[in-house]
Amino acid sequence: MRIGLCADKKEDLQRYVDIINEQRLVTRKDTIKIFTPHQLLFDVEEGYFDIEILVTDITYDGLSFSGIDISKIINEKYPLCQIIYSSVYVEYVDYTYETDYVYFIQKKNLGKLLGKALLKARSRYATEAREKTFEFFSGRVKRYIHLKDIYYLEKNERVVDVVTLDKIYKTTLSIKQACEKLKDSNIVRANGSTAVNVSHIKNYSGTYVIMEDLGKRIEVSSKYSEELSDAYIGYIEQ
């Protein structure tokens, strides 16, 4: 896995590395990337961030932003990334509740708990990658979108639009390829060029659906009507 380490002090970064190496917490397939806070913020904001597990301090001395601020952006743009927080002060755990994270470690306990935290992060990443997100390239940027945030996918000439409430992402995956990646989710084909998230259907007539919030009407073809009907009924009966 790709593991990132971020702190504002070189000695803290070195401590992370020493514990990982001494306790053999990584495998040959893992890579470790060291970040200063400014480097981390730049990669996250500019779309270069590709870390799967991030270990970061909660606060950075003398800076106008914190690990919490960066983690909020990561949660939104890279929801698969598992975040492990570290701080000298145990009371700082209160700030972590503003974000989605996997573990908090007080710095005095790093040697005892970093291995446990990384193990939990690996397990959670595997589960969420399989069940909760849609991974695809939009241009040259790899995107991770929570399945619950996707309203529908629709073929648009040579690309497929991945439509959320606030934004439309474009992918070169075909509808067939996208649906294959999304099998066993709530996203089901409605017709030859569109797949819908049954959890966002407002009205279902049998021949078309109306998507909640967006008001989008999507026709349902006879080829996919039974599959969509079964998925919709299964969802509302949960």
Side-chain angles (χ1 to χ4, degrees):
M1 298 193 74
R2 296 183 295 276
I3 300 170
L5 308 174
C6 181
D8 58 330
K9 297 181 178 67
K10 290 183 179 180
E11 56 266 31
D12 286 342
L13 286 170
Q14 189 59 52
R15 189 179 179 203
Y16 288 144
V17 172
D18 289 344
I19 292 171
I20 287 170
N21 289 336
E22 290 168 5
Q23 298 185 17
R24 299 180 180 179
L25 301 180
V26 295
T27 69
R28 292 182 179 180
K29 294 182 179 180
D30 296 325
T31 58
I32 295 178
K33 185 172 182 179
I34 304 296
F35 293 94
T36 67
H38 281 106
Q39 289 170 335
L40 178 61
L41 181 61
F42 178 83
D43 279 13
V44 168
E45 289 186 332
E46 298 301 319
Y48 300 116
F49 186 75
D50 64 352
I51 298 301
E52 294 165 318
I53 299 175
L54 176 67
V55 183
T56 181
D57 287 357
I58 289 179
T59 58
Y60 308 129
D61 288 350
L63 299 183
S64 61
F65 60 92
S66 67
I68 298 294
D69 295 326
I70 296 178
S71 294
K72 288 178 180 178
I73 304 173
I74 291 173
N75 287 166
E76 180 180 351
K77 296 178 67 174
Y78 312 95
L80 268 185
C81 180
Q82 305 300 311
I83 298 171
I84 298 170
Y85 288 121
S86 179
S87 177
V88 172
Y89 307 106
V90 68
E91 57 267 26
Y92 280 10
V93 71
D94 291 343
Y95 299 106
T96 66
Y97 300 135
E98 301 173 20
T99 65
D100 182 19
Y101 71 104
V102 68
Y103 221 96
F104 169 86
I105 308 173
Q106 197 172 3
K107 283 192 182 292
K108 67 179 183 180
N109 296 322
L110 273 173
K112 293 189 298 183
L113 296 178
L114 185 56
K116 183 177 180 180
L118 287 171
L119 188 63
K120 184 176 180 180
R122 291 177 189 273
S123 175
R124 190 172 182 232
Y125 181 95
T127 299
E128 293 191 354
R130 182 175 63 252
E131 298 178 355
K132 296 184 179 181
T133 61
F134 178 37
E135 175 186 330
F136 62 96
F137 277 94
S138 183
R140 295 183 179 181
V141 178
K142 183 179 284 189
R143 301 287 185 183
Y144 301 91
I145 307 297
H146 281 299
L147 297 184
K148 63 181 178 60
D149 293 334
I150 298 173
Y151 278 64
Y152 63 92
L153 292 82
E154 186 172 49
K155 183 179 178 181
N156 183 0
E157 297 183 349
R158 295 185 179 182
V159 299
V160 167
D161 290 340
V162 182
V163 181
T164 68
L165 181 60
D166 302 313
K167 192 169 182 178
I168 297 176
Y169 302 89
K170 296 185 181 297
T171 176
T172 54
L173 289 173
S174 67
I175 280 288
K176 182 178 180 180
Q177 291 169 329
C179 288
E180 181 63 27
K181 290 171 71 74
L182 293 165
K183 64 182 180 181
D184 301 322
S185 75
N186 285 330
I187 299 173
V188 183
R189 291 287 285 272
N191 57 57
S193 60
T194 313
V196 301
N197 189 335
V198 297
S199 69
H200 289 304
I201 292 176
K202 180 179 180 180
N203 294 315
Y204 180 34
S205 75
T207 58
Y208 66 88
V209 298
I210 303 294
M211 307 306 295
E212 66 179 2
D213 302 316
L214 301 173
K216 170 80 171 180
R217 172 175 169 144
I218 296 172
E219 302 300 320
V220 178
S221 69
S222 57
K223 180 178 180 178
Y224 298 104
S225 61
E226 184 176 353
E227 179 185 1
L228 180 58
S229 176
D230 289 346
Y232 180 65
I233 293 171
Y235 171 75
I236 62 178
E237 289 181 347
Q238 288 179 356

